[in-house]
Amino acid sequence: MEQSGEQQRSDEDYGYGLFPKRKEAKYKKGSVGESLFTFHNKCQLMLHFALETSPYAKFLLGVMKQSGCTAYQDRHFSCEDCDGTVSGGFDAATSQIVLCQNNVHRQSHMNRVVTHELIHAFDHCRAHVDWFNNLKHLACSEIRAANLSGDCSFGNELSRFNFGFKRHHQECVRDRALRSVLAVRKVTPEEAKKVVDEVFDSCFNDLAPFGRIPHSKNDVKFASRDFQNRDRYYGNL
């Protein structure tokens, strides 16, 4: 029987080519090779620090836990070598967040990547996201992650020398979502732009679970307070 077009697609169509360690295990867990691998050790330490101290990560982990999707560092996070163009990814097939140990070298960068990927994990937890077959679902989550993770903060855009025009935040989110879709799917730029444009407004305005664009730690603190108050309200009904 002839395979359908979807069945014939290779793993690389879904971005797995950017994460070669998803296909091979160079170091078995607990091996001497792994313990001596400096990038890996540094990545693990930065990841642990992010999960313990980043208000964004702590808030998202707490929300996911209350939603029945507890994330554990040793099960749901993996430090690996990646293609030189990416910093991290969410593998829906294994419910794992990949941190690119060869590309993430600063704690601030790690914090942002963890937050970005946790937003994908939150979407995976709360919604029936068809990551592999529905391009609109993928684009929507990429828009939300770019919008809510700090990817497009003023400081980050300043460091990229991107600033100074009207509606800059929206355009940054649109551009980063477009690039993310192109990185993990074999589609043309025109196809990717079309699908991002189609879902942009609704997904840009979907601010769950923060309820606002978290521009600062104070915004996260207010989001956490609102979330706890909401739970108390529903608990008293």
Side-chain angles (χ1 to χ4, degrees), residues 69-206:
C69 300
T70 302
Y72 300 97
Q73 181 174 343
D74 58 346
R75 162 64 182 88
H76 296 104
F77 297 85
S78 180
C79 288
E80 303 175 9
D81 278 348
C82 308
D83 181 274
T85 62
V86 294
S87 299
F90 178 70
D91 185 354
T94 60
S95 297
Q96 276 192 318
I97 287 172
V98 182
L99 290 316
C100 297
Q101 60 195 19
N102 56 319
N103 296 332
V104 180
H105 305 296
R106 302 187 318 278
Q107 187 63 52
S108 59
H109 190 189
M110 174 63 77
N111 293 353
R112 193 168 72 251
V113 173
V114 168
T115 301
H116 181 111
E117 302 307 335
L118 277 173
I119 291 167
H120 289 319
F122 171 76
D123 287 347
H124 187 65
C125 171
R126 69 161 182 161
H128 299 292
V129 181
D130 188 351
W131 299 97
F132 300 109
N133 299 305
N134 192 320
L135 203 58
K136 288 184 179 180
H137 287 190
L138 171 67
C140 187
S141 192
E142 292 295 353
I143 290 165
R144 282 177 30 75
N147 188 26
L148 301 174
S149 66
D151 284 352
C152 290
S153 68
F154 178 77
N156 286 324
E157 281 296 271
L158 199 62
S159 70
R160 301 175 189 127
F161 301 101
N162 294 330
F163 52 88
F165 55 83
K166 193 175 179 180
R167 296 174 61 84
H168 180 80
H169 181 78
Q170 288 92 327
E171 292 309 312
C172 171
V173 169
R174 191 188 301 271
D175 179 65
R176 294 186 73 80
L178 176 61
R179 284 200 247 171
S180 293
V181 170
L182 286 170
V184 298
R185 294 293 183 273
K186 287 185 176 178
V187 295
T188 67
E190 292 75 21
E191 289 171 325
K193 183 179 184 304
K194 181 176 184 291
V195 74
V196 168
D197 287 345
E198 285 176 353
V199 300
F200 187 82
D201 288 342
S202 61
C203 298
F204 182 84
N205 290 306
D206 179 359

Side-chain angles (χ1 to χ4, degrees), residues 219-234:
D219 287 335
V220 180
K221 182 170 68 175
F222 293 141
S224 180
R225 181 198 62 192
D226 292 347
F227 190 83
Q228 290 170 4
N229 288 341
R230 189 198 70 177
D231 272 6
R232 290 193 192 102
Y233 171 78
Y234 287 117

